[in-house]
Amino acid sequence: MPAQAAVRRVAVVGATGSIGASALDVIARHPGRLEASVLAAGSRVEALVSLCRKHRPRHAVIADAARYAALRDGLREAGLDDIEAHAGDDALQELVAGDACDTVVAAIVGAAGLPSTLAAARAGKRLLLANKESLVLAGELLTAAAHEAGADIVPIDSEHNAIFQCLGAGSREPGAGSRDLRRIVLTASGGPFRGWTRERLRGVTPAQAVKHPKWSMGPKISVDSATLMNKGLEVIEAHHLFRLPGERIDVLVHPQSLVHSLVEFVDGSTLAQLGLPDMRTALAVGLGWPERIESGVAGLDLLAHGRLDFEAPDPEAFPCLRLAYQALAAGGTAPAIVNAANEVAVSSFLQGRIAFLGIPALVEDCLAAVAGGAAGSIDALLAADAAARDHANQRIAAGALA
Ligand code: NAD
Ligand code: MG
C-alpha cells in the first residue's frame, strides 16, 4: 500500500454481536489503516459504551430510539464527550450512507438489518455483508442497488467469502462467474446434531441447539446451523451473490469446518479455500481487499487435523434445507416468507414455546399457506415478510407446534 494511503473508515453495524467483535478485533490490529468510525448496536447500551471506550469511534448509534438518553449519558459518564450519540433506525441509515464511513460491516441479525444494509449499498459503500437475511429477503433489489451505486459487496459469510476468494482465479470481469463456473459447493459443518435421526431430534433443548461444535456465533445463526436452515439461507444468498440457479449450488457436509467452500470451473478445476474456523479471516479479506492483511488467525496445520471428511446432508432429519431450495425455485416472495417464518420459529424455540422440530414444521406451513407473489418492490417483500410473521405467530398461539 502507498505510504500515504487514506485510512479506511468503517461503520460496524451490529458491533455488540459476534461478527461485530471479530470485525473490531481485526480493525484494532491496523491503526493508521483502519478506523472504526461508527459503532451501532440494537439495544445494549452498556455493551456499546464499553466498545466506544476501547475503539473511540466518532459516532455511536443505538437502534432502539428509547435508549437515546441512556447512550448519551453513558458516553458522558465514561468521559467520551467527543463521541456523538444517535438513536433510531433513521439515524443509523443516515450514518451508514453519509460521510462518516466508506465501508460498512453489515452484521445485524435478521431482516432487521435490511434498511441499513440497503442504505449502505445505495450510497455506494464497500459493503462487508454478514447479514445474510437481507439477501434472502431482498437479494435482487439489494444487489441491483449495489451495482447501480458502484458499491462493492464482499460476502462475510465464510462459505461465500471462500467462493469470493476462489473466483479471483476465474475471468476478472463482473458477471463472468456464471459463465466460468460449473457449480459451487457450499460446505456445512452439519451442526451439533449431525448424524441424529428425526426421532432423536424431538427432545432437543435450546441450550443443546446453540452449542455449535466448530463456530462461536450468535444464538439465531447457531440454531439455524442446528436445523440446517443456515445452509438453506446460504444457498439463496449464493444464488444472489454469484448469479447461479439452485441446481448449480450444492451442499456438502464437512464436519471439520476447515474447507469453507469450493468452486468448480468449466474446465474441471475445483478450487477450495481452507482455514481455521474463525470469522476474522473473512473480515480481513473484506477490510483489506484487494490486499491481504493480518487477521490474528493462525495458519492451518493439516497434519495436526489429520483428515477431511465429507458426507451428504440428511434431508429427512433436516427438512429446512429442502424448504429453502423449494423457495428459491418458486422465486418471488417465497424466500422472504421462509426467512420470516424461520425468524419467528427460531425466536419461539429459544423462548421454549415450540419444539425443535416445530421450526421446519412452521416454515413448511407458512410456505404453503402464505400467498407468494412478485418480488418487484421492497414494499411487496416487506408485506410478504409481515404476512408470514402474522401467520407463524397465529400458528404458535394456537399451540400447534409445542
Ligand atoms: P449476534 O446475535 O451475535 O449479534 C447481532 C447484532 O445485531 C448485535 O450487535 C445486536 O445489537 C444487533 N441488532 C440486533 N437487532 C438489531 C436491530 N433491530 N437494529 C440494530 N441492531 C440490531 O449475531 P451474529 O452471530 O454476529 O450474526 C450477525 C449476522 O451475521 C447474522 O445475519 C448472521 O447470520 C451472520 N453471520 C454470522 C456468523 C458468525 O460467525 N457469528 C457467520 C456468518 C454469518
Ligand atoms: Mg456460513
Side-chain angles (χ1 to χ4, degrees):
M1 140 168 132
Q4 294 303 313
V7 175
R8 182 170 289 282
R9 287 164 312 135
V10 187
V12 182
V13 182
T16 52
S18 161
I19 291 286
S22 294
L24 288 168
D25 182 281
V26 177
I27 292 168
R29 288 167 193 275
H30 300 276
R33 171 168 193 150
L34 299 172
E35 176 196 329
S37 59
V38 178
L39 296 187
S43 55
R44 292 172 52 214
V45 166
E46 296 73 23
L48 181 58
V49 170
S50 143
L51 290 176
C52 287
R53 203 177 279 123
K54 173 140 193 249
H55 298 281
R56 299 292 177 130
R58 296 167 197 208
H59 303 271
V61 198
I62 200 83
D64 180 353
R67 306 287 285 151
Y68 173 72
L71 177 60
R72 184 199 53 203
D73 298 347
L75 288 173
R76 194 178 300 145
E77 280 155 28
L80 302 171
D81 300 289
D82 51 332
I83 300 178
E84 228 178 282
H86 310 259
D89 291 329
D90 292 347
L92 176 57
Q93 287 174 54
E94 273 171 38
L95 273 163
V96 298
D99 295 337
C101 63
D102 42 65
T103 299
V104 176
V105 178
I108 290 179
V109 58
L114 180 63
S116 53
T117 303
L118 197 55
R122 284 182 173 146
K125 304 294 165 135
R126 176 182 293 189
L127 184 53
L128 272 59
L129 186 51
N131 174 225
K132 68 188 85 188
E133 295 91 347
S134 63
L135 267 176
V136 173
L137 171 56
E140 264 147 48
L141 294 174
L142 182 57
T143 52
H147 184 72
E148 261 167 48
D152 289 319
I153 297 182
V154 181
I156 294 304
D157 218 346
S158 57
E159 299 76 5
H160 308 73
N161 190 270
I163 293 161
F164 173 86
Q165 294 187 53
C166 293
L167 287 180
S171 313
R172 296 315 288 247
E173 78 268 29
S178 54
R179 206 172 53 238
D180 284 4
L181 287 179
R182 200 177 274 155
R183 61 175 187 141
I184 60 184
V185 181
L186 302 176
T187 52
S189 70
F193 310 130
R194 183 177 61 87
W196 288 35
T197 60
R198 209 174 147 73
E199 197 46 44
R200 198 172 162 207
L201 289 172
R202 277 185 206 289
V204 159
T205 65
Q208 286 174 300
V210 297
K211 221 165 160 266
H212 196 276
K214 292 291 171 190
W215 296 92
S216 157
M217 309 184 288
K220 195 263 179 179
I221 182 175
S222 296
V223 175
D224 285 346
S225 299
T227 61
L228 284 202
M229 180 54 94
N230 183 49
K231 214 47 54 179
L233 299 177
E234 290 183 0
V235 168
I236 300 172
E237 181 185 11
H239 159 76
H240 290 298
L241 288 169
F242 307 116
R243 307 205 173 284
L244 290 180
E247 305 80 65
R248 286 163 66 192
I249 305 170
D250 291 342
V251 170
L252 193 57
V253 174
H254 165 50
Q256 290 87 1
S257 293
L258 298 173
V259 178
H260 297 305
S261 275
L262 310 95
V263 306
E264 185 181 311
F265 290 99
V266 287
D267 58 9
S269 297
T270 292
L271 268 65
Q273 185 259 346
L274 287 78
L276 293 173
D278 187 322
M279 293 306 294
R280 290 177 300 173
T281 297
L283 286 152
V285 167
L287 290 166
W289 183 77
E291 291 172 31
R292 295 272 178 180
I293 61 172
E294 280 283 346
S295 67
V297 180
L300 180 58
D301 180 351
L302 280 173
L303 268 184
H305 286 279
R307 52 186 291 167
L308 303 174
D309 295 300
F310 301 95
E311 58 194 58
D314 174 356
E316 169 77 11
F318 303 101
C320 284
L321 185 56
R322 165 180 59 81
L323 293 170
Y325 271 108
Q326 197 179 313
L328 176 56
T333 55
I337 292 168
V338 161
N339 179 64
N342 181 60
E343 284 191 30
V344 173
V346 170
S347 144
S348 303
F349 167 69
L350 286 171
Q351 294 163 34
R353 296 175 62 208
I354 67 171
F356 184 74
L357 290 179
I359 299 173
L362 188 62
V363 172
E364 180 141 37
D365 182 308
C366 287
L367 190 55
V370 180
S377 68
I378 287 289
D379 286 347
L381 290 161
L382 293 179
D385 173 282
R389 282 172 205 267
D390 275 353
H391 181 80
N393 281 317
Q394 280 170 29
R395 298 290 293 153
I396 292 166
L401 303 143

